[in-house]
Amino acid sequence: MGEVAMDDYEVVIIGAGICGLATAVALQKKEIKSVVMERSEALRNITGAAIGIRQNGWRALDQLGVADVLRRTGINIKRERIVGLDGGKQQEMPMNGETRCLRRKDLIDTLYAALPPTSVKFGCELESIKLDPNTTKPVLQFIDGSSITPKVVIGCEGGKSIVANFLNLKPTKMFPLCGVRGLSNYPNGHPFDQEFARFRKDNNLVGRIPMDNNLVYWFCAHPYFPKDDRIWEDPEAIRQSTLALLSDYPQEVKEMIEIADANSLSFTHLRYRAPWDLVRGTFCKGRVTVAGDAMHVMGPFLGQGGSAGLEDAVVLARNLAEKGLDNAEEAFNLYVKERRMRVVRLSLQTYFTGMLLGASSRLKQFMYVVLLSLIFRNSSGHVDYDCGGL
């Protein structure tokens, strides 16, 4: 992993995804030096199509100092429109607060550019983590045989996090749903309004969000049917399977999938960390903690996974700066206390929404509708959240 002075390893962040980079930027703004260890050989800015950022996420990006750059890359979405293709019913409502859809690449590149060039170390795949029995400091062992003993470790390496396993967090679970995502470019301009449109029929849901005058992000959530996983590595197989599934959808939806950039197409069996596990989970041990998907991976149904990770970064850096690295354990306890119920509520609403979409009977659908209406009277209230200042 190259020669780096030991004091550069005081704070180690595992994973250079959105949350890992955002955490490094937040710490830098509080004058805390960190190193991000990324297992890939280069920045992971070509995977993933796009990410929707609602008002709460923009508040976090403002604190990180990168919001204005990113606002220039995506148009502001003004309303939501839900179309029920079964009965032809439409529902329109104004979008609550600032909402833009960004290329994941733009977000990753902008966060990376806000860091010193040596902040991210590539080709560093974590193999294990343990606590030194004498100093209680975390010891990180990498698959190349190297090891380091930093003061602080923050796991931001997604739903299959080694750091989360060290904290004995319960394994993630699978929704009975999968998600297809893609980007479609209209060279002469697309005909769509500045709206987040959702088309639903049976247990299938298609969402569409324009990103600028030419580019459109879309996703399709539908029941998971086990197949040879290798099929889903082929973009054209993903395209044809999705078109077959949506054969009776409006022509504008089918055309959008037909012209999608093959490199942007992805298929994912959707996973989540159960809300009840988040209530009880141990998110820090000594000077080790987790953030982002490593803490609270959730389905995409509220579009809050990325924004929740941005919030984590701000809150974590604020507490660490306030308490200092020598009191990192206290800082992490405060961070977890502040974040727990926020991510529990987000995860619970996302869970009910996903299970409603995948429900196999009208009785189950009714049950999830009742639960959502009782617990989340304001279905978009989560976007009003403010994670506070750095």
Side-chain angles (χ1 to χ4, degrees):
M1 65 176 65
E3 293 295 324
V4 180
M6 280 307 295
D7 60 359
D8 282 344
Y9 287 134
E10 285 197 328
V11 178
V12 169
I13 298 166
I14 306 297
I18 291 169
C19 184
L21 294 174
T23 301
V25 172
L27 290 171
Q28 177 185 253
K29 293 186 82 66
K30 302 303 288 184
E31 299 183 347
I32 298 174
K33 186 188 296 185
S34 67
V35 174
V36 184
M37 301 294 192
E38 167 56 43
R39 68 178 183 177
S40 300
E41 296 296 332
L43 198 62
R44 289 184 291 117
N45 59 1
I46 57 172
T47 58
I51 177 171
I53 305 289
R54 302 293 301 268
Q55 179 173 277
N56 56 297
W58 285 106
R59 289 188 175 119
L61 289 170
D62 276 324
Q63 292 301 316
L64 297 174
V66 297
D68 287 342
V69 172
L70 290 166
R71 283 187 174 102
R72 295 197 289 268
T73 69
I75 60 175
N76 195 19
I77 303 301
K78 297 180 178 179
R79 66 174 181 170
E80 297 179 76
R81 181 164 63 96
I82 302 171
V83 181
L85 297 177
D86 291 318
K89 290 183 179 179
Q90 290 202 35
Q91 182 182 3
E92 290 187 11
M93 63 207 85
M95 188 65 81
N96 185 8
E98 181 178 9
T99 300
R100 299 172 195 270
C101 189
L102 308 178
R103 297 174 187 83
R104 186 179 180 278
K105 174 178 169 56
D106 288 343
L107 180 54
I108 290 283
D109 288 352
T110 301
L111 290 168
Y112 182 67
L115 293 167
T118 58
S119 294
V120 182
K121 306 298 176 188
F122 296 103
C124 302
E125 184 170 354
L126 184 65
E127 183 175 47
S128 66
I129 176 173
K130 61 183 179 180
L131 296 183
D132 186 298
N134 298 317
T135 65
T136 70
K137 286 185 177 180
V139 180
L140 301 178
Q141 183 79 35
F142 295 87
I143 62 168
D144 64 0
S146 63
S147 65
I148 56 175
T149 308
K151 277 189 176 179
V152 166
V153 174
I154 305 167
C156 300
E157 76 275 47
K160 299 178 180 178
S161 165
I162 290 174
V163 181
N165 290 341
F166 164 78
L167 296 174
N168 293 319
L169 293 182
K170 293 285 184 66
T172 57
K173 302 178 186 298
M174 295 291 192
F175 278 107
L177 296 163
C178 56
V180 176
R181 298 177 176 90
L183 295 174
S184 299
N185 183 52
Y186 295 75
N188 299 318
H190 60 71
F192 310 125
D193 292 335
Q194 290 175 240
E195 65 176 13
F196 176 21
R198 277 168 286 180
F199 304 87
R200 180 170 180 179
K201 184 171 185 180
D202 299 323
N203 291 108
N204 302 323
L205 176 70
V206 175
R208 181 187 68 210
I209 312 176
M211 301 170 69
D212 56 31
N213 292 330
N214 302 96
L215 196 63
V216 172
Y217 168 63
W218 57 267
F219 64 85
C220 173
H222 61 83
Y224 177 75
F225 303 110
K227 289 186 178 182
D228 185 338
D229 286 343
R230 288 172 297 181
I231 292 175
W232 304 119
E233 296 173 5
D234 178 2
E236 289 309 318
I238 295 173
R239 188 196 314 274
Q240 294 307 319
S241 174
T242 307
L243 284 170
L245 188 74
L246 306 177
S247 61
D248 55 353
Y249 270 58
Q251 181 58 33
E252 65 183 40
V253 172
K254 291 185 287 187
E255 180 191 14
M256 179 177 68
I257 297 166
E258 287 169 354
I259 68 170
D261 177 7
N263 292 327
S264 75
L265 292 172
S266 67
F267 171 91
T268 311
H269 189 178
L270 302 176
R271 62 174 60 233
Y272 64 97
R273 203 175 288 289
W276 44 94
D277 290 339
L278 294 176
V279 173
R280 302 187 300 257
T282 302
F283 296 122
C284 60
K285 183 189 295 183
R287 297 175 178 182
V288 179
T289 193
V290 283
D293 281 356
M295 184 190 209
H296 48 66
V297 63
M298 62 185 79
F301 313 110
L302 298 185
Q304 281 293 335
S307 291
L310 296 171
E311 293 173 4
D312 291 342
V314 172
V315 175
L316 202 162
R318 181 173 66 231
N319 281 288
L320 202 53
E322 185 178 314
K323 296 299 178 182
L325 292 183
D326 290 335
N327 298 305
E329 187 171 354
E330 184 182 355
F332 287 167
N333 283 327
L334 289 172
Y335 153 71
V336 170
K337 183 179 180 181
E338 186 172 342
R339 293 301 293 158
R340 188 184 298 274
M341 289 316 297
R342 165 64 172 168
V343 299
V344 165
R345 284 189 62 82
L346 278 178
S347 296
L348 187 62
Q349 188 175 356
T350 303
Y351 172 77
F352 286 154
T353 305
M355 295 307 285
L356 170 61
L357 180 61
S360 55
S361 69
R362 291 194 178 276
L363 179 60
K364 287 183 178 180
Q365 289 176 352
F366 176 75
M367 179 182 72
Y368 289 120
V369 167
V370 169
L371 287 169
L372 281 165
S373 61
L374 285 175
I375 301 173
F376 305 100
R377 293 181 182 276
N378 179 0
S379 61
S380 61
H382 53 272
V383 308
D384 296 329
Y385 181 83
D386 190 342
C387 63
L390 272 172

